[in-house]
């Protein structure tokens, strides 16, 4: 790829979004290049190699639908895929569609500047390479910028420390080690049961107890695989019709308050037995009605009490907040792990972490000695990766400045002041509230249609209008305000990152309604955008 040649499109990120975008635009005959900081494809699945990493959307659904041949030839092993298998799939896709020639790895994008005079984006990488492109697509991921550990004294620690979202490629030897882990979100909930049997001791530092539902993972039988392959078109259509883009999510038709206690309990038990995060869809108002939510929360707390032997530990593990406020976890033996003699739970609300010391972690009442510390403390979600790049749009406007009071987008796809720049699953789109694969495909197809429209109409610049952006952001807020998630603390509202402006980041109106709006905008000649 000649560096001084002007590209049609530069894509940032070689995860599932970047790869499909590349494939689509190459098929349209465009000159495209993808840049990625990693040395391979896979995005989030390239980086999150921590022990036990696994997807919580079922394998057959967490996959591309755009190629029937791909659907038919790939064979998933488990109901919920492991990270290595998803990464194999990403690599298979890259090879099968000959994508690698158009991806430049080990290239971190540092800045992107829009030249009004030339109507071009100028992108500079960490090695000083410069690319010019007509369009750019930010396929930078939503949970890709890790929440960096900022604990005082971290450099004093004599042992090894790891961040789940930036896990090393070489296996970590836990055998006989004293290990501490900070955090009890999805990443920790998966890591803890896997490493507990390997280590000498595991100490979990919990700030907020999290709800977790057994994943009930199993190996897929040949019959199940064949059935999925024979029904893919139906599965995909059903997914696109579901609020979360998940075909297997059966949304209960009733309020949790409109059924008898025994019927409610039976439905919760059925969902618990079935496993997975579809538990939250047992009734249609768990996410919107506090009383219904409490019924679901009570059910899970009762299960925790049944599983965990020591009452004190069970109480500490029992969440008191809204279920689903923080993203629901799916686990294999998470609560059971606390019955092990070598696992200790520390409540950092009662005894806060003061600092890291050379031998381990110092809380207000103790020094815990460790060989290894794991930070499972999450991500600067949805905006972190985008804002880590110095993006300057029209009139030198910096995205960071424009978004200082929270992200502003039209449909989560574009931001006023940044012509010809698209975001895949950006803030203000269903994104993390949906199956990412469903949302990625919808966005990529919308963007490629838009680029094709521009070319067939002899147009060169497209930019969201401020009015349409403002109206969309009001709508995003309005639909979010109807949900219980709106008012509680989680990464959905940026509450996990000190100083981050509190704003509900994804679009909570559901995938079908959102898609309808995107299609309507396109059908009306990209209504709400200025096209020149
Ligand atoms: O991160 P999190 P994650 N001192 O933000 C704690 C997706 N994902 O990487 O809740 C002490 O959920 C923090 O405590 P609190 C999924 O969407 C999916 O686990 O802020 N503790 C919390 O317990 C998920 O939601 C899969 O009080 C501190 C934890 O660290 C998202 O990624 C697997 C702390 C962070 O939890 C993020 O999950 C993994 C501090 N200073 C991830 N700072 C699957 O598909 C933070 N914490 C299954």
């Amino acid at each position: 790829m000649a560096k001084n040649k002007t590209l049609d499109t530069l894509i940032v990120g070689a995860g599932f979004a970047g790869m499909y975008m590349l494939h689509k635009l190459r098929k349209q005959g465009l000159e495209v290049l993808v840049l990625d900081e990693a040395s391979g494809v896979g995005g989030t699945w390239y980086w999150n190699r921590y022990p036990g990493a696994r997807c919580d959307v079922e394998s057959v659904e967490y996959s591309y639908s755009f190629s029937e041949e791909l659907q038919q030839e790939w064979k998933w092993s488990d109901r919920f895929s492991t990270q290595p298998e998803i990464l194999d799939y990403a690599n298979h896709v890259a090879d099968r569609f000959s994508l690698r020639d158009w991806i430049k790895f080990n290239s971190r994008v540092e800045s992107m500047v829009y030249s009004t005079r030339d109507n071009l984006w100028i992108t500079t990488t960490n090695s000083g390479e410069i690319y010019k492109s007509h369009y750019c697509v930010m396929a930078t991921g939503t949970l890709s910028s890790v929440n960096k550990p900022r604990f005082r004294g971290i450099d004093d620690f004599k042992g090894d420390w790891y961040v789940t979202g930036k896990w090393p490629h070489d296996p970590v030897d836990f055998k006989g080690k004293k290990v501490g882990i900070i955090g009890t979100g999805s990443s920790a909930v998966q890591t803890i049961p896997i490493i507990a049997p390997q280590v000498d001791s595991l100490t979990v530092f919990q700030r907020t107890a999290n709800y977790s539902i057994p994943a009930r993972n199993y190996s897929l039988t040949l019959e199940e695989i064949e059935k999925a392959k024979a029904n893919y078109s139906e599965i995909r259509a059903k997914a696109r019709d579901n609020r979360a883009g998940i075909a297997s999510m059966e949304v209960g038709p009733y309020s949790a308050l409109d059924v008898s206690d025994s019927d409610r309990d039976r439905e919760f038990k059925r969902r618990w037995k079935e496993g997975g995060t579809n538990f939250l869809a047992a009734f249609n108002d768990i996410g919107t009605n506090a009383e219904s939510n409490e019924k679901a929360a009570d059910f899970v707390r009762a299960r925790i009490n049944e599983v965990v032997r020591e009452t004190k530990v069970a109480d500490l593990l029992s969440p008191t907040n809204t279920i689903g406020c923080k993203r629901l976890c799916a686990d294999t033996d998470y609560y059971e792990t606390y019955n092990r003699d070598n696992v200790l739970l520390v409540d950092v609300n009662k005894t806060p972490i003061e600092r890291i010391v050379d031998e381990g972690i110092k809380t207000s009442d103790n020094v815990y000695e460790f060989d290894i510390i794991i930070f499972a403390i999450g991500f600067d979600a949805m905006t972190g990766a985008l804002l880590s790049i110095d993006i300057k749009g029209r009139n030198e406007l910096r995205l960071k400045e424009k978004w200082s009071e929270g992200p502003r987008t039209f449909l989560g796809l574009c931001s006023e002041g940044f012509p010809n720049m698209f975001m895949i699953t950006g803030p203000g789109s269903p994104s993390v509230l949906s199956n990412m694969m469903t949302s990625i495909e919808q966005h990529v197809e919308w963007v490629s249609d838009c680029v094709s429209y521009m070319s067939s109409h002899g147009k060169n610049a497209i930019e969201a209008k401020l009015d349409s952006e403002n109206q969309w952001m009001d709508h995003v807020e309005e639909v979010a305000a109807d949900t219980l998630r709106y008012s509680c603390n989680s990464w959905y509202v940026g509450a996990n990152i000190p100083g981050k402006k509190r704003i509900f980041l994804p679009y909570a109106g559901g995938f079908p309604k959102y898609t309808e709006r995107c299609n309507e905008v396109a059908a009306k000649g990209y209504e709400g955008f200025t096209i020149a």
Side-chain angles (χ1 to χ4, degrees):
M1 175 65 58
K3 262 173 249 149
N4 40 15
K5 189 163 152 193
T6 299
L7 300 158
D8 290 308
T9 305
L10 184 125
I11 300 168
V12 188
F16 285 117
M19 284 202 294
Y20 184 37
M21 192 77 251
L22 170 64
H23 176 64
K24 277 298 265 185
L25 296 179
R26 287 284 309 156
K27 271 182 77 174
Q28 285 175 214
L30 300 182
E31 203 67 64
V32 190
L33 177 71
V34 180
L35 297 175
D36 199 302
E37 182 183 359
S39 61
V41 296
T44 199
W45 301 103
Y46 172 93
W47 297 106
N48 282 270
R49 296 162 186 256
Y50 61 83
R54 197 183 273 279
C55 190
D56 60 5
V57 173
E58 296 196 17
S59 319
V60 293
E61 300 214 48
Y62 195 85
S63 60
Y64 286 123
S65 73
F66 71 81
S67 160
E68 182 57 18
E69 294 78 16
L70 175 66
Q71 291 188 145
Q72 293 303 326
E73 76 199 12
W74 186 263
K75 185 168 166 277
W76 292 107
S77 307
D78 287 357
R79 178 186 184 192
F80 297 108
S81 296
T82 60
Q83 173 273 334
E85 189 164 351
I86 300 173
L87 192 57
D88 282 351
Y89 174 72
N91 277 291
H92 170 76
V93 170
D95 293 332
R96 193 193 190 288
F97 297 99
S98 309
L99 302 178
R100 289 185 205 278
D101 288 349
W102 317 102
I103 305 176
K104 192 156 192 308
F105 296 112
N106 305 306
S107 290
R108 188 185 150 68
V109 172
E110 300 273 329
S111 74
M112 302 178 84
V113 179
Y114 177 70
S115 157
T116 310
R117 198 192 60 189
D118 304 321
N119 185 31
L120 288 177
W121 280 94
I122 320 291
T123 296
T124 307
T125 69
N126 55 340
S127 55
E129 288 180 341
I130 296 172
Y131 298 93
K132 287 182 186 168
S133 66
H134 199 67
Y135 295 103
C136 53
V137 179
M138 309 308 288
T140 43
T142 50
L143 294 158
S144 44
S145 178
V146 296
N147 179 15
K148 292 191 189 86
R150 292 177 182 84
F151 294 88
R152 207 155 55 91
I154 193 163
D155 293 332
D156 298 340
F157 183 52
K158 295 279 193 295
D160 297 319
W161 61 268
Y162 305 100
V163 176
T164 46
K166 279 266 154 85
W167 200 261
H169 287 211
D170 295 329
V172 175
D173 184 10
F174 287 107
K175 200 158 171 267
K177 302 277 167 62
K178 289 184 171 50
V179 179
I181 182 165
I182 302 177
T184 50
S186 297
S187 304
V189 159
Q190 291 185 326
T191 307
I192 288 165
I194 297 290
I195 63 171
Q198 301 170 38
V199 300
D200 171 63
S201 69
L202 178 65
T203 306
V204 181
F205 294 86
Q206 173 182 278
R207 189 163 68 181
T208 310
N210 233 327
Y211 295 92
S212 189
I213 310 294
R216 313 257 185 237
N217 182 49
Y218 51 79
S219 300
L220 292 172
T221 62
L222 200 57
E223 203 186 343
E224 283 167 316
I225 294 168
E226 292 306 321
K227 193 173 164 207
K229 286 187 178 180
N231 290 294
Y232 259 128
S233 58
E234 198 184 308
I235 294 170
R236 305 303 191 183
K238 217 170 152 193
R240 289 185 198 111
D241 211 27
N242 171 269
R243 69 180 185 205
I246 300 178
S248 62
M249 180 185 280
E250 182 202 332
V251 183
Y254 306 112
S255 156
L257 307 177
D258 283 349
V259 294
S260 67
D261 288 352
S262 60
D263 282 352
R264 190 187 315 111
D265 199 52
R266 192 174 315 115
E267 180 59 7
F268 281 144
K269 277 190 177 135
R270 184 179 78 80
R271 300 256 177 174
W272 183 264
K273 202 169 151 210
E274 210 170 84
T277 56
N278 288 347
F279 178 85
L280 271 191
F283 295 97
N284 62 21
D285 60 348
I286 293 175
T288 50
N289 181 318
E291 223 183 305
S292 298
N293 188 281
E294 193 58 16
K295 301 282 182 202
D298 278 345
F299 179 88
V300 178
R301 284 190 286 259
R303 302 288 79 72
I304 297 170
N305 268 282
E306 277 170 11
V307 172
V308 180
R309 280 199 294 270
E310 262 189 61
T311 312
K312 240 172 71 186
V313 180
D315 286 350
L316 200 50
L317 286 169
S318 295
T320 50
N321 55 1
T322 306
I323 183 167
C325 161
K326 290 176 190 288
R327 161 83 178 236
L328 190 62
C329 303
D331 71 279
T332 301
D333 296 338
Y334 175 63
Y335 295 118
E336 287 81 350
T337 301
Y338 290 92
N339 290 331
R340 296 181 62 93
D341 291 341
N342 68 337
V343 176
L344 176 72
L345 182 64
V346 174
D347 177 4
V348 302
N349 294 305
K350 209 162 141 207
T351 56
I353 295 173
E354 287 184 346
R355 58 170 296 152
I356 310 283
V357 288
D358 56 359
E359 63 269 52
I361 294 177
K362 182 177 184 320
T363 62
S364 59
D365 72 339
N366 200 359
V367 172
Y368 296 87
E369 291 184 17
F370 298 121
D371 304 303
I372 294 175
I373 299 175
I374 299 172
F375 297 96
I377 57 173
F379 300 88
D380 185 353
M382 299 203 74
T383 54
L386 277 164
L387 296 180
S388 71
I389 301 170
D390 188 13
I391 301 174
K392 255 197 254 176
R394 225 170 8 87
N395 303 325
E396 306 272 292
L397 174 67
R398 280 201 150 88
L399 189 66
K400 208 175 242 169
E401 279 162 34
K402 179 171 174 189
W403 286 11
S404 61
E405 293 299 301
R408 310 284 307 166
T409 71
F410 180 35
L411 300 170
L413 278 160
C414 296
S415 191
E416 182 263 346
F418 299 83
N420 293 353
M421 175 177 268
F422 301 99
M423 290 165 263
I424 305 297
T425 63
S429 75
S431 190
V432 290
L433 293 181
S434 69
N435 173 2
M436 291 307 288
M437 295 301 262
T438 315
S439 276
I440 282 171
E441 288 197 325
Q442 185 261 336
H443 263 192
V444 165
E445 285 160 19
W446 192 94
V447 171
S448 61
D449 287 350
C450 176
V451 167
S452 150
Y453 174 95
M454 294 288 289
S455 138
S456 63
H457 286 72
K459 302 291 183 190
N460 297 307
I462 180 162
E463 181 181 340
K465 286 182 183 162
L466 188 57
D467 266 5
S468 34
E469 182 170 294
N470 288 341
Q471 280 168 26
W472 181 251
M473 293 315 291
D474 287 349
H475 176 59
V476 169
E477 171 116 12
E478 200 180 275
V479 291
D482 286 341
T483 70
L484 297 170
R485 279 192 180 123
Y486 183 69
S487 47
C488 52
N489 286 335
S490 69
W491 57 256
Y492 291 122
V493 296
N496 63 329
I497 302 294
K500 189 165 174 173
K501 178 79 184 168
R502 187 189 177 95
I503 180 169
F504 196 86
L505 294 162
Y507 175 65
F511 182 80
K513 199 169 153 204
Y514 172 78
T515 309
E516 201 181 303
R517 182 77 181 105
C518 291
N519 292 346
E520 184 189 34
V521 164
K524 291 184 175 166
Y526 296 89
E527 182 186 59
F529 288 90
T530 302
I531 296 188

